[in-house]
Amino acid sequence: MHQHLSSQSKAIEGRRDQCEVPRDPKYPDCSGKVEWMRARWTSDPCYAFFGVDGTECSFLIYLSEVEWFCPVLSWRNQTAAASSTIPPPRAQASFQRDLSYLLELIGSGKESLIFMKKRIRHLATQWLRASHKLEQKLEDKKRDQKQILIHIGFLTEESGDVFSPRVLKGGPLGEMVQWADILAVLFILGHSLKITVSLKELQSNLGVPPGRGNCPLTVPLPFDLIYTDYHGLQQMKQHMGLSFKKYRCRVRVIDTFGTEPAYNHEEYATLHGYRTNWGYWNLNPKQFMTMFPHTPDNSFMGFVSEELNETEKQFIKSNKANNMAVVYGKEASIWKGKEKFLAILNKYMEIHGTVYYETQRPPEVPAFVKNHGLLPQHEFQQLLRKAKLFIGFGFPYEGPAPLEAIANGCVFLQARFNPPHSSLNHEFFRGKPTSREVPSQHPYAEDFIGKPHVWTVDYNNSEEFEAAIKVIMRTKVDPYLPYEYTSEGMLERIHAYIQYQDFCATAAMPEKSSSHTMQSSASPFSLQPNSTYLAWSHNSSSSPPAWPPVNSMQVWISDAGQACTSTCQQHGLVCEPEFFKFINKKGVFQQLNIVCDSTESEMNHLYPAVAENVQECYLQKEPLLFSCAGCNTKYQRLCPCRNYRKGQVALCGDCL
């Protein structure tokens, strides 16, 4: 693109005075970068691609026009550097319902892509029905059409695509279920998509110059949003040079188990032992999107489950086999050491398994179990429609299957973990960028659905286990699916994210945003009568433009040793990290009648907080460390909570 640089620099060779390194305080790194270029410009062919040829002029032209470390040279044609044309008006998004075009976009050639396309086809009528409902709800609200790149990193050869070969062998399908649903949602909402599952396609779509990935992109990023995963994020960082930092606010990272702020902040993670192979990207934690709403610091992406109409529900209820149980888990290893439970269960129920095997029956599965081998999705569905009980033996964690079982009228019985599993005590979570404690195999099922659909018991206590089975056999349950896992629920949620989440605007904000608000005399909060929490005053003259809107906020103080996640939950609310910036102020402590003998501002993911015994208050110095997660017995934390829609925890009452 900038090959023209070299011809111009040839013309003025000899006029070295034109190309002296400028001393400009606004560009403090310029001379250091020129020195680096002198020594290393041949280390990556991309520099030559942009016209660098070893002359001082070519270094300066590159560092001022391709990168932005030096001022533009006065004799250069300025328009090349400052082409700030007004962007053309945006096309409006309208619902797209011809899914055959999406299936074409996905392409083929990998088992995993075939699986995803099958799923989209299978759920097509459900998606279309939901799209009409959402369209009515939005009442012609204007929506910009976004240019979206979807790069599924874990399916690229370079990340060692381990998933595709295992699709047919009982490998984990949860991620692929979710990606299929994400593709369907983004397409139906009317956005323009590019889908890549190879590094080569990624590079050509981004405009990566030839070479080793040290230079910025050859063109401004043509995408408003990029959905990827941790593998894809790593690939982008390796190939985008400086552009990665510039554009990372547009990325959304699909991240099953969540990334907490303490792990995401590179410097803090390194200093305080939160460094893992996955975290430390310095993104806004809301850019990470999870499978279940377990980490309010992140955004909840989710997936969908198959929905039943009334006729189907009635049919299922009348055809349930009351003594039939299906075991959760396709891998034989899950059955190891479970003989005791299986023997108890076998007294009451006929047990079915869907364990993968090649030729012989896996030895871990007892002879009294009817093992169907690996079943295609629709046959598995038929099995769930007949079964009374879907039973988990502690693994896999947080997959889609229990939701499907509950939606098909099963009761889900699962193990309570004591102590809870986490990255501190459990191999599976070790190295994941979260300290979240997982109290059962499927915490979402336990917390958001609960009895009579979900029973969580201590499997080490065989009396409790047996008693639960007896009650379950007598309990009648209807098929149930939380709204957030319906197609309409997912479309509504992702529509809201695309419409209202903007991490580029906040990334560009000056750091001092909190100091001027501190000076503003009247507090926008008021202490609620006979109560210990603050709410946003309705008569507060200027509500800042925020999403979620500030009127959904309540400010609570946690107990010592309690995280904001559970503090808000206790009050029927959810923690909202976007609101920390409004409560990270000395005056808020005073309004809650907390005495502060001293107030310090420091980098700590538990702040704002008070160390009550010594009456010391602490404010947060680093906005990226605002964190719903995290607790310490020394501190009571200041917690920003918000209300949420029943069945749609990601959205507050006025969030659509």
Side-chain angles (χ1 to χ4, degrees), residues 264-298:
N264 166 61
H265 189 284
E266 185 171 22
E267 182 193 347
Y268 186 78
T270 309
L271 288 174
H272 297 93
Y274 292 106
R275 182 119 188 178
T276 66
N277 289 340
W278 298 108
Y280 66 83
W281 286 90
N282 294 324
L283 298 178
N284 181 316
K286 282 274 181 195
Q287 289 174 258
F288 297 102
M289 308 190 102
T290 57
M291 190 97 156
F292 289 95
H294 45 54
T295 307
D297 292 301
N298 303 152

Side-chain angles (χ1 to χ4, degrees), residues 249-276:
C249 58
R250 301 188 191 181
V251 175
R252 304 292 180 267
V253 185
I254 306 306
D255 169 25
T256 308
F257 294 102
T259 297
E260 291 174 353
Y263 293 80
N264 166 61
H265 189 284
E266 185 171 22
E267 182 193 347
Y268 186 78
T270 309
L271 288 174
H272 297 93
Y274 292 106
R275 182 119 188 178
T276 66

Side-chain angles (χ1 to χ4, degrees), residues 137-174:
K137 209 184 253 184
L138 294 180
E139 299 171 336
D140 299 331
K141 196 179 267 182
K142 281 217 174 318
R143 301 182 297 124
D144 286 344
Q145 185 186 50
K146 306 283 188 189
Q147 300 296 320
I148 300 180
L149 174 67
I150 296 145
H151 177 61
I152 310 179
F154 79 94
L155 293 182
T156 59
E157 301 302 334
E158 289 74 12
S159 74
D161 177 13
V162 292
F163 281 83
S164 293
R166 292 174 63 196
V167 168
L168 302 173
K169 296 192 173 175
L173 300 178

Side-chain angles (χ1 to χ4, degrees), residues 222-248:
F223 301 103
D224 303 300
L225 289 169
I226 299 178
Y227 287 81
T228 188
D229 52 19
Y230 265 127
H231 297 283
L233 199 57
Q234 191 72 53
Q235 291 168 344
M236 283 162 54
K237 185 172 193 222
Q238 273 167 348
H239 295 277
M240 286 173 71
L242 271 185
S243 302
F244 181 73
K245 217 171 179 167
K246 179 174 177 179
Y247 293 125
R248 66 183 170 192

Side-chain angles (χ1 to χ4, degrees), residues 35-48:
E35 230 165 279
W36 187 94
M37 290 292 278
R38 278 188 205 121
R40 302 288 306 279
W41 74 274
T42 54
S43 66
D44 189 327
C46 71
Y47 296 116

Side-chain angles (χ1 to χ4, degrees), residues 20 28 66 103 157 185 200 282 308 444 515 547 585 633:
E20 270 179 11
V66 180
L103 298 175
E157 301 302 334
V185 165
K200 233 188 172 69
N282 294 324
L308 306 173
Y444 176 86
S515 56
W547 192 84
K585 304 190 176 93
T633 46

